[in-house]
Amino acid sequence: MSKRGVFITFEGGDGTGKSTQAKMLVAALQARGVTPILTREPGGTPQAERIRDLLLQRDSGHFDPLTEALLLFAARREHLVTKIQPALANGDWVISDRFADSSRAFQGYGMGLDLETVENLYRMVAGDFEPDLTLIFDIEPEKGLARSAHKKASTVNKTESGEDRYELMGLEFQKRLRKGFLEIASQNPDRCVVINADQDIAAVHAEILEVIESRFALSPVFSGLKVDGGRG
Ligand code: TYD
């Protein structure tokens, strides 16, 4: 790939506010002249969204953890090769609300699937491909759960669609998730940045923008400044 875009993933436990922040980052980048593609996992393409429906609907019951991981990685493979990688090859920025660290944290640390198995599945579907930056939204599990309970109470349709299987797993599960995400961050210091999600929305957004601006040279054109070509 001669020209490559930027791939940023948003990760964390439930109720960290990352989906709101992903949308806010898209708007902030648009204001700087970059139009990122916002996507999510599980899902992101029509076929992968069908696998998402299987995974998240309550009435589909529980899967064996390895079966669940296989479904997630099947969806991820589809998402990666039909959407993420072509966009990056085209020079686009792609922001994904969750990606492979969610499998490490949820299926590995949370559900007890062997971490090596998760890594092997990752290598099978993605090879040595990695996000350029992963933001890990961190909040105390008690607070995160309270936030998602509040959100659920105010979004009737989401409750009716039954998309809450993982959130039903409770506080101990969320604690294992948090430990997992923080370990992933400390094992991958070049790729991951932990974001303090226990702040107001504007403060979290500012923290994220600072990270993005320090990592990626947004061209002066993108910041709305005129570029002096040196001839004038
Ligand atoms: P979603 O409603 O998108 O939750 P959130 O707003 O917290 O991102 O549902 C996605 C759920 O799927 C979420 O609870 C995390 C879970 N998940 C996994 O368990 N493993 C994975 O690899 C991915 C991508 C998600």
Side-chain angles (χ1 to χ4, degrees), residues 70-82:
L70 290 165
L71 286 169
L72 284 158
F73 275 100
R76 180 160 301 129
R77 169 79 189 171
E78 192 63 21
H79 189 207
L80 197 56
V81 300
T82 69

Side-chain angles (χ1 to χ4, degrees), residues 69-232:
L70 290 165
L71 286 169
L72 284 158
F73 275 100
R76 180 160 301 129
R77 169 79 189 171
E78 192 63 21
H79 189 207
L80 197 56
V81 300
T82 69
K83 186 168 178 180
I84 298 172
Q85 287 179 328
L88 294 175
N90 194 38
D92 291 328
W93 288 49
V94 179
I95 296 175
S96 188
D97 187 351
R98 296 197 182 283
F99 187 63
D101 294 319
S102 283
S103 299
R104 297 181 174 108
F106 281 79
Q107 280 63 52
Y109 289 86
M111 300 175 68
L113 185 64
D114 185 27
L115 291 175
E116 205 185 320
T117 302
V118 180
E119 263 350 284
N120 289 338
L121 291 172
Y122 186 77
R123 296 297 157 214
M124 194 192 302
V125 308
D128 59 7
F129 175 88
E130 292 283 358
D132 298 294
L133 171 67
T134 296
L135 301 175
I136 297 200
F137 286 69
D138 184 54
I139 193 167
E140 282 173 29
E142 289 85 350
K143 290 187 183 169
L145 275 181
R147 279 193 194 175
S148 41
H150 177 74
K151 191 172 113 192
K152 199 165 300 156
S154 60
T155 46
V156 177
N157 287 339
K158 183 168 178 184
T159 310
E160 280 173 355
S161 76
E163 278 202 355
D164 59 1
R165 212 161 77 68
Y166 296 90
E167 286 167 24
L168 289 175
M169 291 183 179
L171 184 60
E172 287 312 308
F173 185 81
Q174 294 295 329
K175 284 184 178 168
R176 292 200 295 280
L177 275 187
R178 185 188 198 196
K179 177 172 178 282
F181 277 122
L182 293 177
E183 277 187 25
I184 291 165
S186 68
Q187 287 161 7
N188 299 277
D190 293 341
R191 173 171 69 83
C192 299
V193 175
V194 177
I195 299 292
N196 174 13
D198 191 10
Q199 313 177 72
D200 67 48
I201 290 181
V204 176
H205 178 63
E207 196 174 319
I208 292 168
L209 267 188
E210 215 171 282
V211 173
I212 303 288
E213 282 173 346
S214 72
R215 294 233 170 182
F216 306 106
L218 286 171
S219 133
V221 169
F222 292 155
S223 342
L225 299 174
K226 273 196 179 160
V227 180
D228 180 353
R231 270 177 257 141

